[in-house]
Every structure is written in structure tokens, then in C-alpha cells.
Amino acid sequence: MTIRPTNSPATNFSVALLEEFVRLGVRDIVVSPGSRSQALALAAAEFEKQGMLRLRVRIDERVGAFLALGLAIETGRPVLVVTTSGTAVANLHPAVLEAHHSAVPLIVISADRPDSLRGIGSNQTTHQPGIFGTAAHQTWDVEAPTGAAGEMDAAAKLAREAVAAVSGPVHLNLSFDEPLSAPFTWQPSDNPVSEKTAHQPPGAPTTLALTPAPATVVIAGTGAGPRAEQVARELGAPLIAEVASGSHFGPNLVVAYRELLNTANFGDRVDRVIVFGHPTLSREIPALIQRRGVQTIVVRHPSADDYNPGRCVSRFVDEVSISGEATDRAWLGRWVSASRQLLETDSIAPDIDADAGTHAKSELAIVRTPVDRRMLAEAVWRATWPHDRLVLGASRLIREVDRVVPGKKIPVHANRGLAGIDGTISTALGIALASQEEAGNEGVTRVLLGDLAIFHDVGALMFGVGEPRPRIQVIVGNDGGGTIFDALEVAGQAGASFDRVLLTQQNASIEALAVAYGWRYVFAATRGELDQALSAHPEPTIIEVPLGR
Ligand SMILES: Cc1ncc(C[n+]2csc(CCOP(=O)(O)OP(=O)(O)O)c2C)c(N)n1
Ligand SMILES: [Mg+2]
């Protein structure tokens, strides 16, 4: 289809642009309201009616951009984000940075005034091209369409260029002149639908051949995917896989890696490290890589920077291949069994006097046990299955999950490109919407985060009228502030100033927040209440879990 040209060059250009994006395989668009961007927004609404695009509307551009990030993470396809001019564009910056560091394909389209109206104090007009700095992989500053011949072809060409460059975020700054939009009607076109153009990184990939040898460990950080688990098995090597790596499963998994990396005859014996993805959750991993005599091979993955702690990495490769059988099973066996023992020793089985009563009594005691961080981490993990999604906010709880949960092949996501506490719920809503739109997916998305992280992303809780409400549970471990900072040296030195500027205590009502935004609210202080709250419910739900400092 295409449109009969209208008297608004802005509309003609916008429709041609979106049509080409659809032809190239784009399926999702997030729009925030504004006047200058109305042609794009109205075109998106029409494309939604025709079943050509899935449209999401968010009033807060920061929320909209993180929502788009979540949609792109879940679908693996580029997602369009449309905003008006001015501060609206700047609100996209946090998600654009995260997308840059994690190589997530976002196509940001900002509306602008034409050149003649820039730099003279026009309303809502700033310098937009380049506003995202080096985080935008490419920027186009496009003059306002005037109705000249060939403009719709130019729009289609722009879409093709943007899709070809979208190895991370790209920015299209589009000027529009009045009339800013006009009603339009479709007419059938003979434009055949082509295949999606896949982006190919330049250069031939390098593959390194490895043979199994003792003293090797495989490390998987965010973005590693299941390949790390496979390589660890083929090498017969212990697998240190962070919880959001996509490799936190399998017989080689070593959950208690922090402890073992600090234990004699374990960490100090390692002499070869193979890294996949971006490890961020412990100090022990970068320390290992920087130890003298350790050879580290990093298998590159799409991200802004190659992982290189202390610049001590010996080799960067695109892939590894394994030849030969792992013969010495003792090295692996020691790590795996020591990790199991460590986890069992610290297990949280409640202290119940066996003589004190019947089995029923001890069951009751378990159900009534107050929730602590470990119990919370384990309960959320237990409740989550492959058709579900788990999103972990930055701060203490992701580390707690990483420390204690057993291997399980479930989709886990965390924004670890920059580990911000912003945008967590927005990202999770994008993941939830995208995952649940697949026919037959009955799963639920669970978000586990701290209290400051939920208050940072309150705007995400807003569903405008008519916006779909996915199955999502936001589980807040409420310890009244940023208690991760308690572990820093400054906590013992700064006195009351520490509380004021780092801990930043809050006692806002999460229940009132839930009510205000139309979410179901559950307070879960005991293990029984928590397990019950975590069973799936169709309504978006906030589960508040009180935690001690
Ligand atoms: C956008 C952003 N601002 C600030 C920080 C620094 N920061 C890291 S953790 C944290 C506190 C988080 O508190 P909360 O979500 O309650 O988790 P808790 O540490 O209490 O588990 C802050 C402010 C950050 N990571 N991202
Ligand atoms: Mg907190």
C-alpha cells in the first residue's frame, strides 16, 4: 500500500518512511505526544489500525524509550521511538545510552523545526542533531519536506539507511514545516515486500581453536547467551555464569563462585579464563583476570566497549571452537561439589525445634517465616519458568539472586550496559508486552527491584486509556533507601551525612502509588504470603516485601 499524496509534505514523508520501515521488518513503534511530530504519530496510529505496526503510547519520553528498549531486547528487532522537539528528545538519553552500551537496536525519530526557525529563539527549539553524542551510532539531520518530487523515495531511502546502521541506537532528526499533518487514505501499491535486511558487521570473524585443559574456567556475563554453557561443557570447565547471562544452567555451573575465587586451591589455581558477555556483578571476576599469570580470552559480543579489566585481556576473538575430549574431570568436579556444599551450608532452612511439634507445626512455621533477601531471591526464582520473563533491577537484589539461585534455563534480563536504577519497570513492560504478544504465551513477567528503583520509574506505572496491560508483577524489596551503600567504606565514616546523601531514606507509600496508577497491590511479609503473591495473576501487580537493612 501507499498513500495518495496529501497537501502536507510532512504526512507524505512520514507515511513513506514508516511504510519502508515496515517493509524492512520493523513491527513496533513507541510514540509520545507532541505537535511537531504529529504527522509521524498519526501515521503510526493508522499503521496500527491496518495491523502493520504495534503502537504503544507513553506520555513520558524517558519511559517510552526504555519501553522501546525492552521491546527490542525481547524481539531482537529494531524498534522506532517518536518524539516531538525540545526537552522531549533529551528524555530519551538514558535509554539511548543503555542501548549503546548493550547494542540494542533503537531507531529514535525526533521532530524539529526547519533550519530557518532554528537558532532564533523559536518556541521548543534547541540544537537536536548530535544531542546523544557518541551514543547514537549514526545521526541524520533531515530538511523539512516541501512537496518536491522524489521526497517519498528519499524517505524510504532514509529508512533503509537507518535499518542498515542500527547495530545500536541511531537518530533521525526530521524537520517539519506547516501544515504539520493532513488526513490521508491508502491505495494499493505494487511494491513487493522484501526480506528484512540483516546488519552484517564488517570484516571476517576470527575463531580461536581451544583444547580442554585443567585450570580453565568459563565466565559468562550479561549478553553471553547459551553458548558459554556449551563451551564450558565441551571444555570440561567450571562455569561462572552470572544470573542474567543466559548461561545460568547446566552441570558445570558454579553458583558460589565469589567464595571459591577467594579460596585457596580454587581461584588461585586458575590460569586460563574464557569470557563471554559483560560480567558486572562481582569484584572477584575482574580481580581474577588482572592476576599475574592468568591468560584471558574474551569472546566478543555486541557492545560499545570490549570487556578488558585492567587492560589485561590477552586475546579478543569472535568465536571459539573446541577440539579434543575433556579427560580430567577432577578439576570441574571439585568446583561443582564445593559450590553445592557452600550453598547448602548457608541454606535458610528456618530453625525449628524438631521435638516441638508435628510436621504440620513446622510447615506453619515455614509459612510464617519473615522474608529476607535470600528467601525473596529464591522464591522469585522458584516461581519463574521458561515461558515467563524475569527482569532484575540494579543494586542489591540482583547480586543476591546471582549468589544463591541454582541453575535453571529461564529468560533473565537486566540493564547492565550502564547498570542504571532508572527505567527498570519501563524496560520490563516492553519485555512483557513483546513476549506475551506471541500467540499462546501464557507467561508472566516478574521484575525484582529495590525501593529507590521503583520510585525512580514511577512514570512507567501509567497505562493510558486503551493501552494494553500485560501480565506483570513488580516485586519491590523495600528497605527504605539505597542500602547497597551500607557496604561501602564511606558508610562507617560519613556519619549522618551518609544517610542524607547516599542512603537517601524514603517512606513513601507504595500501596498508595499502586492505587493511584490502577495496579493491584499485595503486601508480603512472610514466606507464605510471598509464595501466594507470586502465583500468576492477570492484572499488573505490585508486591511489596519489607526487608531489613
Ligand atoms: C540512574 C542511576 N542513578 C544512580 C545510581 C547509583 N545507585 C546504584 S544503586 C542505588 C540505590 C538503589 O536503591 P534501591 O533500589 O532501594 O536498592 P537497594 O540498594 O536498597 O537494594 C543508586 C542510587 C544508578 N545506578 N543509576
Ligand atoms: Mg532499597
Side-chain angles (χ1 to χ4, degrees), residues 394-397 419-422 450-453 456 479 481-485:
S395 207
R396 281 179 84 177
L397 286 166
I421 60 163
D422 48 351
D451 49 299
L452 294 193
H456 208 299
D479 51 16
T483 63
I484 194 169
F485 300 127

Side-chain angles (χ1 to χ4, degrees), residues 212-216 229-239 250-254 266 322 324-338 340:
T216 298
E229 193 276 334
Q230 191 186 10
V231 167
R233 258 187 299 116
E234 288 175 10
L235 285 172
L239 171 64
N252 295 32
L253 185 69
V254 174
F266 287 91
I322 317 301
E325 283 285 300
T327 45
D328 174 15
R329 309 296 296 179
W331 168 251
L332 169 65
R334 283 178 51 227
W335 280 79
V336 171
S337 61
R340 282 211 188 108

Side-chain angles (χ1 to χ4, degrees), residues 142-181:
V142 181
E143 278 179 29
T146 59
E151 275 177 359
M152 286 164 76
D153 290 341
K157 180 165 170 278
L158 182 65
R160 288 193 292 277
E161 288 173 4
V163 168
V166 74
S167 53
V170 297
H171 179 196
L172 277 56
N173 189 58
L174 306 185
S175 309
F176 291 121
D177 224 333
E178 309 214 358
L180 291 172
S181 70

Side-chain angles (χ1 to χ4, degrees), residues 353-369:
D353 185 345
D355 299 330
T358 59
H359 177 67
K361 253 188 180 167
S362 61
E363 284 277 291
L364 200 62
I366 291 172
V367 164
R368 287 179 178 166
T369 315

Side-chain angles (χ1 to χ4, degrees), residues 98 102 278 280-281 393-395 399 414-422:
E98 176 62 29
S102 303
H278 180 205
T280 58
L281 296 179
S395 207
R399 290 178 170 79
N415 283 342
R416 300 304 298 176
L418 289 180
I421 60 163
D422 48 351

Side-chain angles (χ1 to χ4, degrees), residues 292-304:
R292 276 177 76 100
V294 172
Q295 183 207 11
T296 300
I297 295 151
V298 163
V299 181
R300 283 206 179 92
H301 76 120
S303 65

Side-chain angles (χ1 to χ4, degrees), residues 321-445:
S321 64
I322 317 301
S323 53
E325 283 285 300
T327 45
D328 174 15
R329 309 296 296 179
W331 168 251
L332 169 65
R334 283 178 51 227
W335 280 79
V336 171
S337 61
S339 171
R340 282 211 188 108
Q341 271 171 22
L342 278 166
L343 282 182
E344 277 160 22
T345 334
D346 315 339
S347 174
I348 39 95
D351 191 16
I352 300 150
D353 185 345
D355 299 330
T358 59
H359 177 67
K361 253 188 180 167
S362 61
E363 284 277 291
L364 200 62
I366 291 172
V367 164
R368 287 179 178 166
T369 315
V371 180
D372 63 13
R373 279 187 189 74
R374 177 164 185 174
M375 204 185 291
L376 175 57
E378 289 177 331
V380 170
W381 191 253
R382 251 196 328 271
T384 304
W385 293 101
H387 60 291
D388 298 329
R389 300 289 180 271
L390 179 59
V391 178
L392 301 171
S395 207
R396 281 179 84 177
L397 286 166
I398 185 173
R399 290 178 170 79
E400 192 64 33
V401 177
D402 187 62
R403 259 172 208 287
V404 301
V405 298
K408 186 158 144 183
K409 205 171 178 178
I410 52 178
V412 182
H413 174 74
N415 283 342
R416 300 304 298 176
L418 289 180
I421 60 163
D422 48 351
T424 315
I425 301 170
S426 307
T427 307
L429 279 164
I431 289 173
L433 286 165
S435 68
Q436 291 166 23
E437 267 147 6
E438 296 301 319
N441 186 349
E442 293 292 307
V444 56
T445 295

